[in-house]
């Protein structure tokens, strides 16, 4: 599976961005797609995930109510709509997909994801 993230940029606090992750390849074997982020000097952290079948969504507490993960009907693109952005949201954002069934139980663990796209930088600053 190939993943291509886009949509990052510079935005003021309180602003919005929508990230996109184009998904191609053997997506039928996927259980989930997730967004993670990594700030300088920090570990990669979970942001949001969506189950490939059924569409159940999961969010980190820090973004709940502000970020929304969704996918198109063809399951070729997954989006992360971000509103009310804060400086602490500044990071490189990565999309990842999982062929590991255990991701259904632990969707927030990056260890459950086996394909990763390149990151897209999101900077929230005035």
């Amino acid at each position: 599976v190939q993943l291509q993230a886009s949509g990052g940029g510079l935005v003021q606090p309180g602003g919005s961005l929508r990230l996109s992750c184009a998904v191609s390849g053997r997506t039928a074997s996927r259980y989930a797609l997730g967004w993670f982020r990594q700030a300088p000097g920090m570990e990669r952290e979970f942001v949001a995930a969506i189950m490939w079948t059924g569409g159940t969504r999961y969010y980190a507490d820090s973004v709940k109510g502000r970020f929304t993960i969704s996918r198109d009907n063809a399951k070729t693109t997954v989006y992360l709509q971000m509103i009310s952005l804060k400086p602490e949201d500044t990071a490189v954002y990565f999309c990842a997909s999982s062929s590991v069934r255990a991701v259904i139980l632990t969707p927030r663990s990056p260890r459950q994801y086996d394909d990763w796209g390149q990151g897209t930088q999101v900077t929230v600053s005035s």
Side-chain angles (χ1 to χ4, degrees), residues 59-110:
Y59 296 96
D61 288 343
S62 59
V63 307
K64 200 172 293 182
R66 299 188 298 121
F67 291 10
T68 302
I69 188 170
S70 63
R71 62 164 189 248
D72 64 354
N73 289 335
K75 297 181 181 180
T76 59
T77 307
V78 177
Y79 303 98
L80 186 68
Q81 178 69 50
M82 307 184 292
I83 66 171
S84 302
L85 283 161
K86 305 175 182 179
E88 51 263 44
D89 295 317
T90 295
V92 178
Y93 283 70
F94 300 88
C95 57
S97 70
S98 174
S99 65
V100 180
R101 184 173 176 82
V103 74
I104 297 173
L105 299 177
T106 54
R108 295 173 175 84
S109 171

Side-chain angles (χ1 to χ4, degrees), residues 1-7 18-24 33-35 52 69-72 75-80 94-97 115-118 120:
V1 173
Q2 292 77 48
L3 305 160
Q4 181 78 31
S6 62
R18 188 177 78 160
L19 305 184
S20 299
C21 179
V23 186
S24 60
L33 193 134
W35 285 97
W52 218 233
I69 188 170
S70 63
R71 62 164 189 248
D72 64 354
K75 297 181 181 180
T76 59
T77 307
V78 177
Y79 303 98
L80 186 68
F94 300 88
C95 57
S97 70
D115 285 301
W116 293 78
Q118 93 294 354
T120 185

Side-chain angles (χ1 to χ4, degrees), residues 20-62:
S20 299
C21 179
V23 186
S24 60
R26 299 184 64 181
T27 59
S29 62
R30 300 292 102 178
Y31 285 101
L33 193 134
W35 285 97
F36 294 80
R37 66 187 182 187
Q38 188 167 19
M42 304 292 285
E43 292 188 356
R44 191 167 297 188
E45 66 172 353
F46 170 78
V47 175
I50 186 167
M51 296 297 110
W52 218 233
T53 301
T56 302
R57 306 173 189 183
Y58 301 88
Y59 296 96
D61 288 343
S62 59

